[in-house]
Amino acid sequence: NNARGARATMQWRALVLGLVLLRLGLHGVLWFVFGLGPSMGFYQRFPLSFGFQRLRGPDGPAMPASGPAGRAGPPGGPSGPSWLQPPVSGAAAGQRRAPRRPGPGVCGPAHWGYVLGGRGRGRDEYEKRYSRAFPPQLRAQMRDLARGMFVFGYDNYMAHAFPQDELNPIHCRGRGPDRGDPSNLNINDVLGNYSLTLVDALDTLAVMGNSSEFQKAVKLVIETVSFDRDSTVQVFEATIRVLGSLLSAHRIITDSKQPFGDMAIKDYDNELLHMAHDLAVRLLPAFENTKTGIPYPRVNLKTGVPPDSNNETCTAGAGSLLVEFGILSRLLGDSTFEWVARRAVKALWNLRSNDTGLLGNVVNIQTGHWVGKQSGLGAGLDSFYEYLLKSYILFGEKEDLEMFNAAYQSIQNYLRRGREACNEGEGDPPLYVNVNMFSGQLMNTWIDSLQAFFPGLQVLIGDVEDAICLHAFYYAIWKRYGALPERYNWQLQAPDVLFYPLRPELVESTYLLYQATKNPFYLHVGMDILQSLEKYTKVKCGYATLHHVIDKSTEDRMESFFLSETCKYLYLLFDEENPVHKSGTRYMFTTEGHIVSVDKHLRESPWKEFFSEEGEQDQVGKSVHRPKSHELKVVNSSSNCNRVPDERRYSLPLKSIYMRQIDQMVGLI
């Protein structure tokens, strides 16, 4: 018996040894053929590699890359720590090299297919899954799923939360300002006790063609929403979510063409415009008694700036008001709102670094001193850049475009790291990092989810190749977790901040890239996002914030931008016949996803002389008076501008994109 046991033990050992040797042999073959290495085994749950595993700091030893669960990350292909290094000398000298045509890339298409779920089965598998035509039936199914997602969230808000600001989708009840804790800015900055979710969703109802519910919702807003509230709100949030939505819905109602169907309201007397005016007047105190012209971050809608107000504000919050305030001014024929918003933009712009041209993310509104010196594309700065370009698109003011071009150049010179071209050359693929605004030196090794808007902005200026490259990076993170963590450490390859509040930025860029390229790849991306949202965030009465992108635990909150942006962009991605795409009208989306038609009426500015610097002369040598802060008041004007200048249309200089450019995006992951 002992002899038989010993023989059996030896046989089992031989079998195990054989299996191990077979596994190692297969891994060796995969390593040389596909560049995948042993990640095929232990890391199948997160089959994603960014092409580097151990990065060396400029003067330090290699740092271990940790995976999402704290284990060592999967070995990757050859790659240098180029994201940790300063920009190349040409960029630092302000020389942005011209984009080159996509080349073969560092890794082959097999790696891209592996990252997207092909498990190393190469280009054929990738093309089979992501390059094939998206069938019309599947597109219609995804469109209906996106509409159903919106309807489920909206109906539950109306049933369980209205007239409060937000829906708690897990416990099926409403949420308003946190009166018990005024310091809870995460809630109180956004919620003003003015039925936020209903207001924010108005134009989504129109875009989806639901005229009956749109008309019902507009009447409900007119009858029930008031801004005469003892609520202290963030000027930025109230502007983009509420003011912007009121203006968008007003424009939809009064559009003589009615491209979305019959959205007209019987006996409508510009009530939404008057409400927008009322709200903006209540926000104006933020611009008073500030030595720089940069507004206070918060106001009380009844009493103005709180006595204990903070003198520090973020660049995006203070400098992303021009689109909504400018539209309001041009509809009312009153320069006040555009003037204060434009003055804030110019004040921030004049504080940029003389050496790099970059801005910081937090500034003191009284001294102009930069409290936060980080310069990046995410929180604190994102929409500042966005609105420089979109203000030009809407209003045609040349200085807005000049500021944007200069800012974009500085971004390319100091924030963009990695190899020169997206799809060819040595080193890591391009990535935009966070740097010190004065030196351009790297400040940290994380990016945040808000940065995912930037590929969409690049589409608007025609830098589509770089947009494709950057979008693929964020999509790869989504593929790993089924969501986009609020902050991701690209050196450690793990989230730094783990929650996902249903943000729309990746969806927005996906939608705009599809419109630019018509590449079915982006329909597959949209389908992945839709299915992830349905699988991980849908709860009893709506869609919940993910508290933890790895374990998929949820928080009881559905922010209003889920209905105003995330659902809208997903719906438009799959609705090819939507009037947004077919009406012949040029549309632009605000930073909150509110739709605005781009037409000649918004490009009329009879008060341009008020925007010149104090003490300067206008073109005819006449001294120009600028109103002081204490002179700010609203002109009661019910007349719009009558003179119509020559129409200056804005066309998107989009490049032609082919499938092989997607194939060669291999180094991103």
Side-chain angles (χ1 to χ4, degrees):
N1 290 338
N2 291 337
R4 284 196 298 270
R7 284 196 298 272
T9 300
M10 292 295 294
Q11 289 171 351
W12 275 110
R13 287 178 178 174
L15 178 60
V16 170
L17 179 62
L19 289 173
V20 169
L21 291 175
L22 177 61
R23 181 184 181 88
L24 291 174
L26 288 173
H27 285 167
V29 172
L30 290 171
W31 180 278
F32 288 107
V33 175
F34 297 112
L36 298 179
S39 60
M40 286 294 291
F42 297 105
Y43 303 99
Q44 289 188 14
R45 183 180 177 189
F46 300 113
L48 178 136
S49 169
F50 285 88
F52 62 93
Q53 280 308 122
R54 296 174 65 84
L55 294 178
R56 296 180 182 274
D59 300 305
M63 297 181 63
S66 60
R71 62 183 74 159
S79 175
S82 60
W83 293 347
L84 289 166
Q85 300 300 326
V88 296
S89 58
Q95 301 168 359
R96 172 77 166 128
R97 292 182 290 260
R100 292 181 289 179
R101 293 183 62 83
V106 175
C107 306
H111 186 71
W112 184 232
Y114 163 72
V115 166
L116 297 179
R119 301 292 184 196
R121 284 172 282 187
R123 177 172 181 159
D124 291 342
E125 176 64 23
Y126 164 69
E127 291 186 345
K128 180 180 178 182
R129 288 194 62 189
Y130 288 92
S131 305
R132 65 177 182 264
F134 207 84
Q137 299 87 347
L138 183 58
R139 172 178 286 186
Q141 181 183 345
M142 292 299 105
R143 179 201 62 206
D144 293 344
L145 181 60
R147 182 196 285 118
M149 180 178 289
F150 171 84
V151 169
F152 185 69
Y154 177 84
D155 285 353
N156 274 287
Y157 165 78
M158 295 304 297
H160 302 290
F162 177 80
Q164 295 191 71
D165 288 307
E166 285 182 351
L167 169 68
N168 288 352
I170 296 176
H171 289 96
C172 304
R173 56 175 178 246
R175 178 200 295 266
D178 187 351
R179 304 296 190 191
D181 183 10
S183 66
N184 186 1
L185 300 181
N186 184 45
I187 297 296
N188 293 328
D189 271 358
V190 178
L191 309 188
N193 196 21
Y194 37 42
S195 303
L196 174 64
T197 297
L198 175 64
V199 175
D200 212 359
L202 289 177
D203 66 308
T204 306
L205 289 166
V207 167
M208 292 186 177
N210 192 340
S211 59
S212 61
E213 190 60 36
F214 173 79
Q215 293 166 345
K216 177 182 175 182
V218 168
K219 292 176 182 177
L220 205 54
V221 167
I222 292 171
E223 293 168 359
T224 66
V225 174
S226 170
F227 301 120
D228 189 25
R229 305 284 189 184
D230 184 19
S231 298
T232 299
V233 296
Q234 192 184 85
V235 175
F236 170 72
E237 295 291 356
T239 298
I240 66 169
R241 299 201 196 201
V242 182
L243 183 63
S245 185
L246 293 172
L247 293 170
S248 175
H250 168 74
R251 299 268 288 171
I252 290 170
I253 293 167
T254 58
D255 187 344
S256 60
K257 298 179 181 178
Q258 289 293 300
F260 300 107
D262 184 12
M263 301 293 164
I265 306 292
K266 185 179 180 181
D267 299 324
Y268 179 70
D269 191 22
N270 297 324
E271 286 92 345
L272 295 186
L273 181 60
H274 297 321
M275 292 179 69
H277 186 192
D278 176 41
L279 175 60
V281 170
R282 296 174 186 274
L283 299 178
L284 277 182
F287 298 87
E288 301 173 8
N289 301 315
T290 161
K291 295 176 182 178
T292 61
I294 302 170
Y296 286 90
R298 297 171 185 87
V299 295
N300 183 284
L301 296 178
K302 266 186 177 291
T303 62
V305 177
D308 59 347
S309 184
N310 190 352
N311 284 328
E312 297 175 2
T313 190
C314 70
T315 305
S320 305
L321 310 172
L322 184 51
V323 166
E324 289 83 4
F325 275 48
I327 293 172
L328 180 63
S329 274
R330 294 176 188 230
L331 292 179
L332 292 174
D334 174 7
S335 65
T336 302
F337 306 101
E338 182 173 348
W339 187 83
V340 295
R342 192 171 290 279
R343 181 182 63 167
V345 171
K346 289 182 178 179
L348 289 163
W349 183 249
N350 290 334
L351 293 174
R352 70 194 187 281
S353 167
N354 292 329
D355 295 323
T356 66
L358 297 173
L359 294 88
N361 58 347
V362 180
V363 67
N364 185 296
I365 66 172
Q366 301 297 350
T367 66
H369 173 71
W370 287 106
V371 180
K373 300 176 178 63
Q374 177 176 300
S375 191
L377 299 179
L381 275 159
D382 50 353
S383 55
F384 177 81
Y385 301 124
E386 178 185 3
Y387 268 23
L388 289 179
L389 179 61
K390 290 185 175 180
S391 295
Y392 170 72
I393 295 173
L394 274 182
F395 309 132
E397 301 292 346
K398 185 179 179 181
E399 65 178 347
D400 295 335
L401 182 60
E402 291 172 347
M403 285 189 287
F404 174 79
N405 285 336
Y408 194 73
Q409 186 70 59
S410 295
I411 289 168
Q412 299 302 313
N413 290 343
Y414 293 98
L415 272 61
R416 189 181 190 273
R417 302 293 173 89
R419 59 178 179 251
E420 175 187 348
C422 180
N423 299 314
E424 64 179 343
E426 298 296 327
D428 295 311
L431 182 71
Y432 293 85
V433 299
N434 300 319
V435 303
N436 182 287
M437 65 172 288
F438 295 109
S439 66
Q441 296 299 309
L442 186 71
M443 288 192 70
N444 50 58
T445 59
W446 52 259
I447 51 91
D448 64 54
S449 64
L450 291 171
Q451 282 184 234
F453 92 98
F454 198 67
L457 190 66
Q458 290 181 305
V459 167
L460 294 183
I461 61 169
D463 200 351
V464 180
E465 181 181 321
D466 257 24
I468 291 172
C469 210
L470 188 59
H471 173 275
F473 176 81
Y474 291 102
Y475 177 50
I477 300 173
W478 184 284
K479 286 291 291 184
R480 172 179 281 188
Y481 302 110
L484 205 57
E486 189 72 353
R487 186 179 290 177
Y488 183 84
N489 192 308
W490 46 260
Q491 184 179 48
L492 300 179
Q493 299 187 57
D496 278 350
V497 180
L498 288 152
F499 71 89
Y500 168 65
L502 309 175
R503 290 200 188 279
E505 284 76 17
L506 179 61
V507 184
E508 175 187 8
S509 289
T510 302
Y511 164 66
L512 291 172
L513 272 165
Y514 177 71
Q515 290 302 312
T517 66
K518 296 301 179 183
N519 196 312
F521 168 77
Y522 295 104
L523 299 177
H524 288 279
V525 173
M527 182 168 66
D528 277 349
I529 293 173
L530 258 175
Q531 292 172 340
S532 294
L533 291 172
E534 282 289 312
K535 181 177 181 180
Y536 299 124
T537 72
K538 190 172 185 179
V539 292
K540 182 179 179 181
C541 292
Y543 294 84
T545 292
L546 282 182
H547 175 73
H548 197 292
V549 296
I550 298 175
D551 67 24
K552 303 301 186 292
S553 57
T554 56
E555 295 180 17
D556 198 9
R557 188 177 186 187
M558 187 180 80
E559 292 222 39
S560 67
F561 54 65
F562 177 69
L563 298 183
S564 70
E565 298 186 79
T566 308
C567 292
K568 180 187 289 140
Y569 287 128
L570 283 169
Y571 180 81
L572 286 172
L573 175 64
F574 296 106
D575 189 21
E576 191 74 9
E577 302 302 315
N578 194 277
V580 171
H581 310 135
K582 296 292 186 180
S583 67
T585 301
R586 287 176 170 83
Y587 289 100
M588 190 195 79
F589 295 93
T590 71
T591 195
E592 184 71 9
H594 298 305
I595 194 165
V596 180
S597 58
V598 182
D599 58 47
K600 57 188 177 183
H601 302 294
L602 291 179
R603 290 192 158 216
E604 182 180 89
S605 175
W607 51 75
K608 181 176 291 189
E609 65 270 15
F610 288 110
F611 300 150
S612 61
E613 293 298 324
E614 185 171 31
E616 291 182 350
Q617 304 290 308
D618 65 8
Q619 293 180 352
V620 296
K622 182 174 61 178
S623 179
V624 174
H625 169 71
R626 293 193 310 155
K628 302 293 191 298
S629 296
H630 67 272
E631 296 176 330
L632 295 179
K633 58 183 180 179
V634 176
V635 178
N636 292 323
S637 172
S638 59
S639 61
N640 292 332
C641 305
N642 296 318
R643 293 173 296 163
V644 179
D646 291 336
E647 184 171 3
R648 292 170 288 171
R649 294 194 177 274
Y650 180 87
S651 58
L652 305 181
L654 302 178
K655 301 174 184 177
S656 298
I657 307 298
Y658 299 95
M659 196 65 226
R660 63 186 181 85
Q661 290 178 279
I662 295 290
D663 291 339
Q664 293 160 351
M665 221 58 60
V666 296
L668 284 166
I669 314 300

